[in-house]
Amino acid sequence: DTVELLQRIFPRQKVVASPRATKNTDLLNGTYAGIQAYTTTEVPALHRWMMERGMGDHELVVTPLEGTGEAQLGYSQTLFVANECLEDNDRRHIAKAFLEATFEGWQAAIRDPDQAIQAVVEAQKMLGLDDEANDHWHESLEFQTEMLSRC
C-alpha cells in the first residue's frame, strides 16, 4: 500500500518496494534516489549512518509527505482495531483496556523518558529484538532519546 500511495503522490516518479531492513543503506549506496522513512526512527538512524560515513546533514533532504501535492495522511498517531474486536462486550473491554494501557504508557514515557528508554531496551532483549538486522535502528542512547522525543 505504501508503493501505491507514493505513486499517487509522485506520479512522474518510478516507485518500487524496497526491503525494509536495508532501505537506509540502499539510499546511501545509491540503489534508490529516495526512500519513504519514518521520522521517529529511520530519519534519526539515517543521520547517524551518514555521520559515520563522513557525510554532512546538508546532503539529506527530508520532505514530509503530508501536504506534498494533495496528500492528507492523517494516521500517524492512530491505533487501529479490527471490527471483530468490537463485536461483543468482552472483546470491546479488552480493546478498551489495551488503549488505556497504551495511553498510560505514553504519559509515563513523557514524564520519565529515561525510564521509558530503559524499558524499551529491556523489552528488546527479552523479545530478541536487539538482534533485529536492519539499518533504521542505531545502538546508542542518543538515538533512543531522540526517537522517543519524536514520538
Side-chain angles (χ1 to χ4, degrees):
D1 61 336
T2 301
V3 171
E4 182 182 318
L5 172 66
L6 291 174
Q7 193 65 70
R8 287 194 318 240
I9 295 172
F10 302 106
R12 293 189 177 107
Q13 303 298 319
K14 179 182 177 184
V15 179
V16 298
S18 64
R20 175 182 169 268
T22 61
K23 65 182 176 180
N24 279 345
T25 303
D26 291 340
L27 176 68
L28 293 175
N29 291 341
T31 303
Y32 302 115
I35 61 170
Q36 176 273 332
Y38 292 99
T39 57
T40 54
T41 54
E42 294 163 338
V43 171
L46 185 56
H47 279 270
R48 282 164 177 76
W49 295 125
M50 291 174 67
M51 290 188 302
E52 288 178 6
R53 290 179 175 212
M55 302 167 74
D57 280 348
H58 65 280
E59 299 179 54
L60 177 66
V61 176
V62 177
T63 304
L65 291 179
E66 185 75 35
T68 300
E70 295 183 25
Q72 294 181 345
L73 305 177
Y75 67 83
S76 64
Q77 300 299 325
T78 302
L79 298 173
F80 296 91
V81 64
N83 287 338
E84 306 87 62
C85 295
L86 302 175
E87 290 176 353
D88 66 58
N89 284 337
D90 289 341
R91 287 180 157 192
R92 199 169 22 258
H93 176 73
I94 292 169
K96 182 179 178 192
F98 173 80
L99 291 173
E100 288 172 355
T102 299
F103 294 125
E104 287 174 18
W106 276 113
Q107 290 170 351
I110 290 166
R111 282 191 309 273
D112 191 349
D114 293 335
Q115 178 62 35
I117 290 167
Q118 186 59 38
V120 169
V121 169
E122 289 175 18
Q124 286 176 308
K125 289 178 183 173
M126 187 177 8
L127 298 171
L129 298 177
D130 54 339
D131 298 331
E132 186 178 1
N134 66 58
D135 64 5
H136 52 270
W137 192 268
H138 197 273
E139 293 298 324
S140 71
L141 179 60
E142 294 81 17
F143 170 76
Q144 292 176 349
T145 302
E146 181 179 357
M147 180 197 63
L148 179 64
S149 72
R150 290 173 176 258
C151 292

